[in-house]
Amino acid sequence: MEVENLKEIFDQFQHLNVYESYKELSSGHINDTYLIITKTRPYFVLQRINHSVFKDVAGLINNKVAISQHIKSKLKESKKQVLDFVKSNDDNSYYKDIKGNYWSLMYYIDNSVTYETVNDIEIAYEGGKLFGEFLNLTSDFDTSQLTEVIPKFHNMSFRYSQFQSALQSAAKERLFKATETINMVTELKEEMHILQNLKESGDIKLRVTHNDTKISNALFTKDNKGLCVIDTDTVMPGIVHYDFGDAIRTICNSAAEDEANLDLVNFNFDFYKAYTRGFLEEIQSSLTDLEIKYLPLGAKTMTYIMALRFLTDYLNNDIYYKIKYEDHNLVRAKNQLKLIESFSEKIKEIQQEII
C-alpha cells in the first residue's frame, strides 16, 4: 500500500489529527493492518478487511462496532480498555474505497503488548480473565443483531460432512497414509457432536462469542495485566465452549500445532488451571451449571474440529491451508489428535478445576 493512499484513506474518517507516517502491523493473517502515527496523540489503527474471505464486510464491521459500544457502556468508570472506532466522514462505521476495499479506523491503545504464545502462568491467568470478561460483558447482547460472518464456522455436522466428502474423492495414496488418523477421527465422532446437539436443542444458549481466542488476540500491559480483547472480526452467535475450547487448544499445547515429533506434543495442565481460574472468576456468575459442566468437552471438541479440518484439507490435496511440504496438513491433524490424547489422560484433574 502506497503511503499517499494510506494518508488519503485515513483522512476519510472523522479525526482531528495530522498524518505523519505509518507502520505495518504483522498480527493477523487475513487483513492488512497499519499503525497510523500522527503529529499528536492519539495514534490510530487503520485496517483493510479482506473481502475475498469475508463476504459481508459491512456486517462484520457493524458487528465489531456494536459489540465495542456495548462493552464500553458497561465499563464506563473502569480503567479497562475497549476497541473504539472512528466514524467515516459520511457517518458510517467504515469507508469503502473506489476499488471496493473496506476500511475501518480504531484508536490505538498505548503502552500495550501482545504475545504469540503463552510462556508463563500469569499470562494464561490474565488471558482467561480477559476472554471471560468479554463473554460476561456481552452475555446480555441480543445475538439476533449480529451478522453471521462465517456461516457454520464451528458446526460439527458441517465439518464432518466435509470430511466424509473428502474421503470419497481422496487419492488412494493419501487415504493409505492417513488410515490411522481417519480411524481416530471416526471413533470420536459421536462424542464430538454432543455440544452441537445441546446447542441445537436449546439446552445451551446462544450468546456472543469471539471465535478466535488465541492469546495474540489479547492486549496486556507491560507488567502482564490484561487490558483488552482485540481482533473481533469473527464475533458471531455461538456457545461459550467455542471460545473457552479454542483458547485452551492454542494455549495448552506444549508444541507448535505443526510439530511433527508427537513426543513433544503434550497438554499443559498448569496453563489450563491458570486460564480456567481466570476465566471462571469473570464469567461463572453468568453461566448455567450445564455450561460449566461441559467446558472441558469444549476444549476437546475445538481441538478435534481443527484436527478434522486439517485432515479434510489433506484429503482434498491441500486446497485451504498453506503448506510447506506434502504431508504438512496430515502432520497438523496428528498433532491435534495427540493433544486430545494427552488431554484425555488428565481428564479427571481437568474436570476437578470446574467443580
Side-chain angles (χ1 to χ4, degrees), residues 217-266:
N217 283 335
L219 291 184
F220 296 85
T221 65
K222 291 179 179 178
D223 59 352
N224 291 343
K225 298 303 179 185
L227 196 57
C228 180
V229 169
I230 60 172
D231 198 2
T232 50
D233 291 353
T234 50
V235 162
M236 287 181 285
I239 57 175
V240 64
H241 307 81
Y242 294 164
D243 280 3
F244 178 80
D246 206 32
I248 295 301
R249 180 188 77 83
T250 53
I251 288 169
C252 297
N253 192 339
S254 62
E257 72 178 9
D258 59 355
E259 173 59 60
N261 182 355
L262 298 184
D263 291 337
L264 301 178
V265 178
N266 291 290

Side-chain angles (χ1 to χ4, degrees), residues 27 112-120 122-124 126 214-226 230:
S27 61
S112 60
V113 294
T114 59
Y115 298 98
E116 289 300 314
T117 56
V118 173
N119 294 312
D120 66 63
E122 184 181 15
I123 294 299
E126 289 289 330
K214 56 181 179 280
I215 202 67
S216 59
N217 283 335
L219 291 184
F220 296 85
T221 65
K222 291 179 179 178
D223 59 352
N224 291 343
K225 298 303 179 185
I230 60 172

Side-chain angles (χ1 to χ4, degrees), residues 17 61-62 66 108 125 205 243-244 269 305 329:
N17 295 42
I61 295 173
N62 288 332
Y108 176 69
Y125 169 72
K205 74 168 188 174
D243 280 3
F244 178 80
F269 184 52
I305 210 166
N329 274 321

Side-chain angles (χ1 to χ4, degrees), residues 25 58 67 76 83 85 92 115 136 142 153 155 221-222 239 244 261 266 272 275 278 349:
L25 299 176
I67 291 300
K76 288 183 180 175
L83 294 180
F85 292 82
N92 278 324
Y115 298 98
N136 188 47
D142 180 3
F153 189 41
N155 184 298
T221 65
K222 291 179 179 178
I239 57 175
F244 178 80
N261 182 355
N266 291 290
Y272 175 85
Y275 185 92
E349 297 97 320

Side-chain angles (χ1 to χ4, degrees), residues 252 267-274 346 349-351 353:
C252 297
F267 184 77
N268 190 317
F269 184 52
D270 288 335
F271 287 175
Y272 175 85
K273 286 194 294 184
K346 299 180 177 72
E349 297 97 320
I350 286 167
Q351 288 173 332
E353 292 301 311

Side-chain angles (χ1 to χ4, degrees), residues 161-184:
S161 174
Q162 288 182 315
F163 162 65
Q164 289 180 308
S165 296
L167 281 177
Q168 299 301 316
S169 58
K172 288 183 179 179
E173 181 185 359
R174 293 208 168 198
L175 284 170
F176 177 75
K177 283 185 178 180
T179 299
E180 184 180 357
T181 310
I182 291 167
N183 290 339
M184 292 173 71

Side-chain angles (χ1 to χ4, degrees), residues 31-46:
N31 301 321
D32 297 321
T33 308
Y34 304 92
L35 172 63
I36 302 298
I37 299 166
T38 52
K39 288 190 175 180
T40 56
R41 299 280 183 172
Y43 293 164
F44 298 84
V45 175
L46 182 65

